[in-house]
Amino acid sequence: MLMNNRKRDILYMFIATVPLSAVLAAILIICEQGAKLYMALLPQLGMCGIIGIMLMQEKYIEKQNEIYRNRLDAEMRQQVLENYESDGYRNINADNMSDDLKMIFRRSIAPFFFIYGIGASLLLMFLIYLVSSLSARKDIMTVFTIGGTAIVAFGCFALGIYQFTGGTVSYFLNKEKTNLDMIERSYMGGSMICGWLSGINIGIDHCVIYDSTSVSTVKNEDILHVNINKRITKKRDRSGFVVKDKKDISAQLVMRNKDNTYNINVTELQLEFLCDEFMRRGIKIIKNY
């Protein structure tokens, strides 16, 4: 079905160039350049070039995905051994769990919100410029657009400041104050793996998990199993060509007698380290690939 839709859309793309060719042909005839009528086919030749480029791009993406799918476990294990020191675990350099978590949020999470806040602020200034200097329409949609952008910018900066000052970590410490000594002892003796805006410390008897807005902890004995996900999601344009893909490499902690789960997004190499740590603690690993 997808291939049929692609053929139909490609045909429509060529049909759409016919009026342009007709205009070019008319111009050449009016200018008495009948010998150059072949130039009226330039739109079709250009469309062929565009389709050729899209096909090559799709072929390249498919080839890379095939390499990714067929990568042998032995090859990944070799990479784990070679990169154990440099790309494995994050060293815990702080004197306690609180300082270490706050350092992570200051260096990894807060800048993310600040960057989005700067982007939203630039967009806000551009919108204000359009309204004030170019006499754009000042209707209700303009007001909502500017107001919404201002709220997003303010919210991003507020979250960035909150994370930079350790607000999320302080909330977590206060919530777990009754078991804090045990959690901290487990944390300081554990292995820290930091991914994109999320990470996990796999400790002696507790796991401490963080993402961009929260920190939580679970007992190792309460983890039923860990789902290991390696998915490739393809994005196609209207003509059915693959224009890019998205790799979902993550671990999902499934808890006993609880509906909630915890997701950690990591690199493929970090995923191998994470599996090693969980298996070392007797936790079942389920690979969904």
Side-chain angles (χ1 to χ4, degrees), residues 267-285:
T267 65
E268 191 176 7
L269 189 60
Q270 287 175 323
L271 199 61
E272 294 294 323
F273 288 104
L274 189 145
C275 289
D276 286 350
E277 289 298 319
F278 278 122
M279 288 189 293
R280 191 176 295 121
R281 287 162 175 77
I283 298 173
K284 184 179 179 181
I285 300 294

Side-chain angles (χ1 to χ4, degrees), residues 162-181:
Y162 183 72
Q163 305 297 21
F164 188 82
T165 56
T168 297
V169 177
S170 298
Y171 176 78
F172 164 72
L173 298 175
N174 185 63
K175 184 178 67 173
E176 301 291 343
K177 58 184 177 181
T178 56
N179 299 317
L180 196 56
D181 290 341

Side-chain angles (χ1 to χ4, degrees), residues 137-150:
R137 292 180 58 189
K138 299 177 178 62
D139 54 14
I140 189 66
M141 287 304 299
T142 303
V143 174
F144 274 122
T145 302
I146 292 177
T149 306

Side-chain angles (χ1 to χ4, degrees), residues 116-153:
Y116 268 84
I118 292 171
S121 298
L122 293 174
L123 177 60
L124 177 62
M125 288 188 288
F126 177 70
L127 292 173
I128 293 174
Y129 168 77
L130 286 179
V131 173
S132 61
S133 300
L134 302 181
S135 300
R137 292 180 58 189
K138 299 177 178 62
D139 54 14
I140 189 66
M141 287 304 299
T142 303
V143 174
F144 274 122
T145 302
I146 292 177
T149 306
I151 291 172
V152 170

